Amino acid sequence: MACGDVEGKFDALFNRVRAIQKKSGNFDLLLCVGNFFGSTPDAEWEEYKTGIKKAPIQTYVLGANNQETVKYFQDVDGCELAENITYLGRKGVFTGSSGLQIVYLSGTESLNEPVPGYSFSPKDVSSLRTMLCSTPQFKGVDILLTSPWPKYVGNFGNSSGEVDTKKCGSALISSLATGLKPRYHFAALEKTYYERLPYRNHIVLQENAQHATRFIALANVGNPEKKKYLYAFSIVPMKLMDAAELVKQPPDVTENPYRKSGKEASTEKQTPAPEEESACQFFFDLNEKQGRKRSSTGRDSKSSPHPKQPRKPPQPPGPCWFCLASPEVEKHLVVNIGTHCYLALAKGGLSDDHVLILPIGHYQSVVELSAEVVEEVEKYKATLRRFFRSRGKRCVLFERNYKSHHLQLQVIPVPLSSCATDDIKDAFITQAQEQQIELLEIPEHSDIKQIAQPGAAYFYVELDTGEKLFHRIKKNFPLQFGREVLASEAILNIPDKSDWRKCQISKEEEETLARRFRKDFEPFDFTVDDD
């Protein structure tokens, strides 16, 4: 069993434990996090300390979280406080007779030197991580005990109630939990109960599957609101488990709340020059394989000045609103035409500069594109990023290959001042989880063709940092999901525009917006000859 803040209410705790054991049978251990001692008189504790009363179960406790209770923990390395009640120590690892590995860290976070006797420092956390993570074949630990919550634990998870996990808790403990990958992590101090949805300890499609972590915060003993302060659970030590069983993912598993979303890495990526430079290098690498080099016009520099189309683009089986040669295309919305792709303003766009990248020929999805079309799509993406960056915006791209017949790569600009890329990513993941949509993070430089087969339904998002989110559609999918997330208060704050049909304007207004976009985009147009 695990318990929250006891705060000196020893009789209330142990009487409750006796009742549970009488009903359910004996438990092996009681692990107490938070404040074991309180500000109440010591009379109750004296009865346990002198042996008049005895804990009904082997009990292990963490150390002081304030100066007032430091006096009870004389030995920093741990000691017996009373019969069946043991202080674990400031930090370390306790291994049970069955092989169960329990890591503990007493006290609250302190960044000041010297560190108070009731606190831990960055050095304490670093030494604990190094001691465990440096061992060969380290996979994680069974249980982590801390008194404070880890900061950001609520990210991507279910509501943590009144506790704001972006402000409350310890960033050092978040770091410790990231490194140690506990199967269970218990904490207290906030006087509430919070059982977070289990979270992954691996990056999907980049790392081998690992076990999930369950974070449980427990309330204080005998609280009047009757919030849960005792948590009973059964656990088989990791070292005794079958590997496949260990990494089995719960159905409600979420993304890791502490994983960095590329904030530091994306600092360089978000500057225009390196981004454009890397895009150019990417295209030259592709063309060197073909024995030629492409000019800035996007055409073969060794052939005639006319656009080269080695094969006729695929034709639709029937009328198509997006094949450029089709009479159904609203050509007044077309703002730029390349060799294999074209740009068009979105009808009923989220903003005046919401555009689509579309293949000229009939392709249903990115997965089905030929190599030369993929190349030009990537060049349009890089150019649009540079264009929007010059206008103080970042762009989000998404594709929904579901109930659609022609690839439409949506490109929506978001003002840099309105939110960060991480906020956009969080909004997509959070809203996906609310709608029970499994939105997975995939490697930055991965190819969608490696993940989805032609004909497979999917939804895909690409952020300006290169980070990508992917959902394989198995049955139903909300058609407006991408728009709804971007229109939400968290990003563009225009929720009334989540349905494109409510955003339509007159043809004259569309023509005016298209003329304006063509003029603004002209300096960035790679389809025009330099001379």
Side-chain angles (χ1 to χ4, degrees), residues 150-153 155 174 177-178 185 199 215 256-260:
K151 199 171 185 179
Y152 311 118
V153 70
N155 285 358
S174 303
T178 302
H185 179 181
Y199 64 81
F215 171 76
N256 190 309
Y258 318 124
R259 181 157 284 126
K260 293 177 182 176

Side-chain angles (χ1 to χ4, degrees), residues 315-389:
Q315 299 303 304
C320 179
W321 290 98
F322 299 103
C323 285
L324 193 57
S326 172
E328 282 82 10
V329 170
E330 297 193 50
K331 291 186 170 58
H332 67 283
L333 293 172
V334 177
V335 292
N336 190 267
I337 303 176
T339 306
H340 305 286
C341 306
Y342 70 99
L343 288 185
L345 285 184
K347 197 166 184 70
L350 281 167
S351 61
D352 291 348
D353 44 6
H354 175 174
V355 294
L356 309 176
I357 303 174
L358 304 122
I360 290 172
H362 189 75
Y363 295 92
Q364 184 172 325
S365 69
V366 165
V367 174
E368 297 177 5
L369 295 180
S370 60
E372 63 268 20
V373 183
V374 169
E375 183 182 337
E376 193 162 277
V377 166
E378 292 295 332
K379 189 152 193 176
Y380 264 122
K381 283 158 62 173
T383 303
L384 284 168
R385 287 192 186 103
R386 190 161 57 96
F387 167 67
F388 285 124
R389 181 67 59 167

Side-chain angles (χ1 to χ4, degrees), residues 13-296:
L13 168 62
F14 293 132
N15 287 339
R16 179 66 180 144
V17 169
R18 285 188 187 94
I20 293 172
Q21 294 202 125
K22 186 176 181 180
K23 182 179 179 181
S24 305
N26 289 339
F27 286 77
D28 294 320
L29 302 171
L30 174 62
L31 307 170
C32 296
V33 294
N35 293 312
F36 188 67
F37 295 97
S39 54
T40 53
D42 287 344
E44 199 170 306
W45 173 241
E46 281 299 316
E47 291 182 306
Y48 288 90
K49 188 177 178 182
T50 57
I52 296 173
K53 291 181 178 178
K54 177 182 172 183
I57 184 173
Q58 188 63 53
T59 304
Y60 293 90
V61 308
L62 293 182
N65 297 296
N66 51 61
Q67 186 60 51
E68 187 181 358
T69 56
V70 170
K71 62 185 180 182
Y72 297 105
F73 306 97
Q74 298 297 321
D75 188 345
V76 295
D77 295 322
C79 58
E80 185 175 85
L81 302 177
E83 188 176 356
N84 269 4
I85 302 175
T86 302
Y87 164 46
L88 286 166
R90 286 195 63 188
K91 69 177 190 295
V93 184
F94 170 78
T95 304
S97 58
S98 64
L100 191 72
Q101 196 173 44
I102 302 170
V103 176
Y104 54 90
L105 179 66
S106 293
T108 56
E109 177 178 313
S110 175
L111 302 178
N112 301 319
E113 293 286 347
V115 179
Y118 54 88
S119 296
F120 57 84
S121 68
K123 287 181 182 177
D124 292 323
V125 171
S126 178
S127 65
L128 203 50
R129 281 188 63 161
T130 302
M131 177 177 68
L132 288 155
C133 300
S134 59
T135 57
Q137 306 300 312
F138 175 79
K139 292 180 181 178
V141 300
D142 291 306
I143 298 171
L144 173 61
L145 304 177
T146 65
S147 287
W149 290 26
K151 199 171 185 179
Y152 311 118
V153 70
N155 285 358
F156 313 137
N158 47 316
S159 172
S160 53
E162 296 178 358
V163 179
D164 184 349
T165 60
K166 291 187 177 179
K167 296 178 181 177
C168 159
S170 163
L172 289 178
I173 290 178
S174 303
S175 167
L176 185 63
T178 302
L180 297 189
K181 304 173 187 175
R183 293 164 65 201
Y184 282 86
H185 179 181
F186 295 98
L189 296 185
E190 297 302 327
K191 299 186 183 300
T192 192
Y193 171 73
Y194 173 49
E195 183 171 0
R196 191 201 183 280
L197 291 171
Y199 64 81
R200 296 184 187 93
N201 281 299
H202 63 278
I203 302 175
V204 176
L205 302 175
Q206 282 193 52
E207 299 173 336
N208 292 331
Q210 297 177 42
H211 59 270
T213 292
R214 298 176 187 273
F215 171 76
I216 295 129
L218 295 162
N220 47 314
V221 172
N223 66 85
E225 299 85 6
K226 298 190 181 301
K227 294 178 181 177
K228 189 169 182 175
Y229 62 86
L230 268 177
Y231 186 93
F233 66 110
S234 177
I235 182 171
V236 176
M238 183 184 295
K239 64 188 294 183
L240 302 179
M241 287 188 70
D242 173 74
E245 188 63 24
L246 177 64
V247 302
K248 193 173 180 180
Q249 301 294 295
D252 54 352
V253 70
T254 77
E255 289 297 316
N256 190 309
Y258 318 124
R259 181 157 284 126
K260 293 177 182 176
S261 302
K263 284 182 181 177
E264 296 86 37
S266 63
T267 304
E268 293 87 19
K269 291 181 189 174
Q270 290 180 5
T271 55
E275 182 176 341
E276 182 64 10
E277 182 181 330
S278 62
C280 291
Q281 184 62 51
F282 170 68
F283 287 113
F284 286 155
D285 286 346
L286 278 181
N287 283 296
E288 281 172 0
K289 294 175 185 176
Q290 300 168 17
R292 61 185 178 89
K293 188 173 180 180
R294 184 169 173 167
S295 70
S296 60

